């Protein structure tokens, strides 16, 4: 049997260390599927039910491993479906390679069936984007695509016409010049040096040593630098604020952290940003500048791996281009250690009160079930090395505030894109990458419904992922955003009957439990975590529980009140929930 060009593609992926490809077959990639079949001992193909899920899985795989994630889709609609998950990778800066099919070269440009020029469609999402027109281009283009994804922390795309896929490996019908590299050469990616310039570190240390009220803001670029972050915080006596993508940088019970920032953050973090005189940003390009110090009120030092992003958000006194871990290691010896810091103690006291407020909302006696309580049960029963994936919506608020980072726990969600439906595909990919760890998808009913067929994928691949559905039968985040704008809710609550997703889980051969009472939450979650296979717990939570910001502004409160006056149809239930929340906080 003749060796085909698609085999060269798969072999080169394997040489780069790729062990998994997520995708959905179609007649536009039959040649590539044959290449995968012939090399199934080296690269496994994970069949999914929707291409969007395949792209999310590749993104989740890359986030959890640091290695390139790979997804595969057929020509036309298949490639189009990948886009949402690929933009998630682009905006959160993770390396992903998308491989798509294309019509035969002889019919391109004729309006052939499913002829979509995916290289043009992907022009915005992909850092490297190439239509393969000659078998001799492989494996050189694979090397360039993967190196580009690693170097630029983003998406690369290769699209292969059908005739190229099945052509004889190395064939060159037009007798072109020699290919760019010898096929037998091993693939190599040389990571850029992460060490900062000494003069930049000294400059940063000078600014930080003169700070009276410093703070750190850490993001996903510092996930591998926990010990260094804590050491710098100790030396400076500085509180540590975490972006949502950087939630796992330091444990949530650390005496140095004030938790998250932004709408899903904590009140102490927001107050801290109004109080500091120096901010050290590490591994983050936090986009929501309204939550950062106003220009001129604090000096800013930024440790950023990408030179194009250093100083891009706020006026930055000292931009330092470096790897977070290497930069902090170089900084530490230059810092003057402080003792008895009143600034840090002030925010430690504020965090004691904040944690008490959050504990009060985790009340098991509330009816309907408080979403904070449901999340707290998952937090209490999950393993210390559990991985939690989360969809976008109100659930992100509950996870940000009630999923505790301890031990080797991790936390992932669609950060900058803030897409719905990513939670379940992320979990499947991460379970593939870490088969011995507990992986939990915490999702809303809206997001789960979008790609719920992937629970069947979990069952078919025998992946023991656990799914907890925060079911408020609505698009909860949009509901509250409409109210903050001063609008009565519209188009955000699903009609009855409410779906029972546990029945779907059981029909797939997994564990499924429907929970409507607080007293049953812990039992159902424990059974799901103990189940040897995929499991789902569908929890009916209070649909009128507001995901309130850590600190409510006057304008937000004014608009919220205006929405009530305009005829908010559920204002009695919402007012009752808000009143109960306030009483419970006061009671503690």
């Amino acid at each position: 049997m003749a060796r085909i060009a698609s085999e060269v593609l798969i072999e080169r992926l394997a040489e780069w260390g790729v062990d998994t490809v997520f995708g959905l077959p179609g007649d536009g990639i039959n040649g590539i599927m044959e290449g995968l079949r012939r090399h199934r001992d080296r690269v496994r193909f994970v069949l999914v039910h929707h291409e969007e899920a395949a792209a999310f899985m590749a993104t989740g795989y890359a986030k959890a491993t640091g290695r390139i994630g790979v997804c595969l889709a057929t020509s036309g609609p298949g490639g189009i479906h990948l886009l949402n998950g690929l933009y998630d990778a682009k905006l959160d800066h993770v390396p992903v390679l998308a491989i798509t099919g294309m019509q035969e070269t002889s019919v391109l440009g004729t309006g052939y069936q499913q002829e979509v020029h995916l290289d043009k469609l992907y022009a915005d999402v992909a850092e490297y984007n190439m239509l393969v027109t000659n078998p001799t281009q492989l494996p050189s283009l694979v090397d360039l695509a993967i190196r580009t994804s690693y170097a630029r922390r983003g998406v690369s795309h290769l699209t292969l016409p059908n005739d190229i896929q099945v052509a004889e490996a190395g064939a060159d019908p037009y007798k072109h010049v020699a290919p760019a590299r010898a096929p037998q050469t091993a693939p190599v990616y040389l990571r850029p040096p992460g060490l900062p310039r000494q003069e930049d570190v000294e400059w940063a240390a000078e600014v930080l040593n003169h700070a009276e009220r410093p703070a750190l803001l850490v993001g996903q670029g510092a996930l591998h630098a926990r010990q260094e972050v804590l050491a710098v915080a100790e030396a400076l006596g500085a509180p540590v604020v975490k972006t949502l993508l950087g939630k796992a940088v330091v444990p949530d019970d650390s005496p140095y952290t004030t938790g998250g920032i932004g709408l899903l953050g904590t009140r102490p973090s927001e107050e801290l940003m109004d109080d500091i005189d120096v901010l050290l940003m590490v591994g983050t390009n936090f986009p929501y500048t309204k939550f950062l110090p106003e220009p001129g009120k604090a000096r800013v030092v930024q440790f950023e791996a990408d030179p194009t992003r250093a100083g891009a958000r706020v006026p930055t006194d000292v931009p330092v281009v470096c790897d977070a871990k290497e930069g902090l290691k170089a900084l530490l010896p230059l810092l003057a250690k402080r003792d008895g810091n009143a600034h840090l103690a002030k925010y430690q006291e504020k965090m004691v009160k904040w944690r008490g407020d959050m504990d009060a909302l985790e009340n098991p006696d509330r009816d309907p079930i408080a979403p904070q309580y449901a999340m707290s049960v998952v937090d209490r029963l999950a393993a210390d090395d559990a991985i939690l994936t989360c969809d976008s919506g109100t659930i992100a608020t509950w996870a940000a505030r009630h999923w505790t980072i301890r031990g080797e726990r991790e936390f992932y969600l669609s950060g900058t894109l803030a897409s719905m439906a990513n939670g379940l595909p992320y979990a499947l990919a991460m379970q593939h990458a870490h088969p011995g760890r507990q992986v939990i998808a915490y999702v809303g009913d809206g997001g789960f419904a979008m790609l719920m067929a992937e629970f069947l994928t979990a069952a078919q691949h025998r992946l023991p992922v656990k799914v907890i559905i925060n079911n408020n039968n609505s698009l909860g985040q949009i509901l509250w955003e409409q109210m903050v704008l001063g609008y009565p809710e519209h188009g955000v609550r699903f009609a009855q009957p409410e779906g029972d997703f546990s029945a779907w889980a059981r029909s797939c051969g997994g564990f499924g439990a429907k929970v409507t009472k607080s007293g049953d939450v812990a039992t159902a979650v424990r059974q799901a975590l103990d189940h040897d296979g995929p499991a789902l717990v569908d929890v009916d939570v209070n649909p009128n529980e507001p995901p309130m910001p850590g600190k409510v502004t006057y304008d937000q409160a004014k608009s919220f009140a205006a929405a009530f006056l305009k005829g908010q149809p559920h204002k009695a239930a919402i007012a009752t929930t808000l009143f109960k929340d306030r009483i419970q906080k006061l009671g503690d």
Side-chain angles (χ1 to χ4, degrees), residues 191-348:
R191 297 185 181 277
L195 291 171
R197 296 190 307 178
Q198 183 62 27
E199 57 267 36
D200 291 342
V201 181
E202 292 174 355
W203 186 14
E206 180 181 354
V207 172
L208 291 165
N209 283 331
H210 283 88
E212 296 181 0
R213 301 180 307 281
L216 280 75
L217 175 63
V218 298
Q220 64 174 340
L223 286 171
H224 65 307
R226 174 179 290 184
Q227 298 308 317
E228 289 75 16
V229 167
L230 290 173
V232 168
E234 180 181 8
L236 292 174
V240 178
V241 182
K242 304 186 290 183
T243 69
L244 198 54
L245 288 172
K247 181 174 172 60
V249 172
V250 300
D252 279 312
D253 60 357
S254 167
Y256 293 101
T257 189
T258 58
I261 187 174
L263 287 174
L264 281 62
T266 70
R267 185 182 184 94
S269 288
E270 192 159 347
E271 292 177 347
L272 176 66
M273 286 296 155
D274 292 333
D275 184 29
I276 58 176
D277 60 351
V278 175
L279 176 65
L280 172 58
M281 299 174 65
V282 183
T284 180
N285 192 35
F286 188 70
Y288 308 105
T289 55
K290 69 178 181 180
F291 295 103
L292 298 179
E294 294 180 11
K297 292 191 67 176
R299 303 189 72 183
V300 176
V301 177
Q302 184 179 12
F303 283 20
E304 169 59 56
D306 186 343
T308 64
R309 295 201 297 266
R313 295 297 185 192
V314 292
T316 304
D317 297 82
V318 189
V320 182
V321 177
C322 63
D323 170 78
K325 188 181 187 75
E326 296 296 336
L328 294 179
K329 285 170 65 176
L331 175 68
L332 269 166
L334 305 179
L335 296 179
K337 189 172 182 179
R338 310 176 188 198
D339 296 312
N341 190 288
H343 170 64
L344 176 62
K346 173 183 176 180
Y347 286 93
Q348 288 173 335

Side-chain angles (χ1 to χ4, degrees), residues 108 111 126 154-155 289 352 466 511 537 542 552-553 584:
L108 289 179
V155 175
T289 55
V352 170
K466 316 303 176 188
F511 172 88
V537 179
N542 185 358
V552 180
T553 67
Q584 282 158 351

Side-chain angles (χ1 to χ4, degrees), residues 4-68:
I4 61 176
S6 290
E7 291 185 76
V8 179
L9 169 68
I10 304 306
E11 289 165 0
R12 200 57 175 176
L13 291 177
E15 290 168 3
W16 273 100
V18 173
D19 57 15
T20 307
V21 173
F22 304 96
L24 189 65
D27 57 6
I29 52 171
N30 279 335
I32 298 174
M33 292 303 299
E34 175 61 11
L36 282 164
R37 186 192 69 80
R38 294 184 187 184
H39 295 283
R40 57 189 180 276
D41 58 328
R42 301 182 67 186
V43 179
R44 61 184 170 185
F45 175 71
V46 176
L47 175 61
V48 305
H49 285 82
H50 196 288
E51 291 93 351
E52 182 181 1
F56 275 135
M57 289 180 193
T59 301
Y61 185 94
K63 287 185 175 184
T65 65
R67 304 195 303 272
I68 193 161

Side-chain angles (χ1 to χ4, degrees), residues 366-372 394 398 470-474 480 493 539-546 573-574 576-578 580-581:
R366 293 169 62 183
D367 182 27
I369 300 169
Q372 298 96 326
T394 57
W398 317 135
N470 183 90
N471 194 337
N472 55 19
N473 200 41
S474 65
W480 296 103
R493 296 190 192 251
V539 185
D540 285 354
V541 299
N542 185 358
N544 298 307
E545 183 73 29
I574 293 170
T576 300
T577 298
L578 289 169
K580 287 181 178 178
D581 285 354

Side-chain angles (χ1 to χ4, degrees), residues 105 130-138 141 158-161 163-164:
T105 56
M130 185 59 63
L131 169 67
V132 181
T133 57
N134 191 314
T136 60
Q137 292 175 284
L138 299 168
L141 297 191
L158 295 176
T159 185
L160 283 73
D163 52 330
I164 301 298

Side-chain angles (χ1 to χ4, degrees), residues 395-469:
I395 45 172
T397 301
W398 317 135
R401 294 176 177 172
H402 301 275
W403 171 253
T404 305
I405 298 299
R406 61 174 185 265
E408 299 304 315
R409 282 186 172 184
E410 298 177 35
F411 175 75
Y412 298 97
L413 80 171
S414 175
T416 309
L417 185 63
S419 176
M420 294 174 66
N422 66 287
L424 179 58
Y426 270 24
L428 269 64
M430 293 175 189
Q431 193 74 80
H432 269 291
H434 301 290
R437 293 178 67 176
Q438 192 179 75
V439 182
I440 304 167
Y442 180 60
V443 299
D445 54 296
F448 181 77
M450 289 180 175
L451 290 174
M452 61 188 288
E454 302 311 328
F455 190 87
L456 182 57
T457 302
Q460 291 169 336
H461 288 274
R462 297 178 174 83
L463 295 172
V465 296
K466 316 303 176 188
V467 181
I468 311 297
I469 299 180

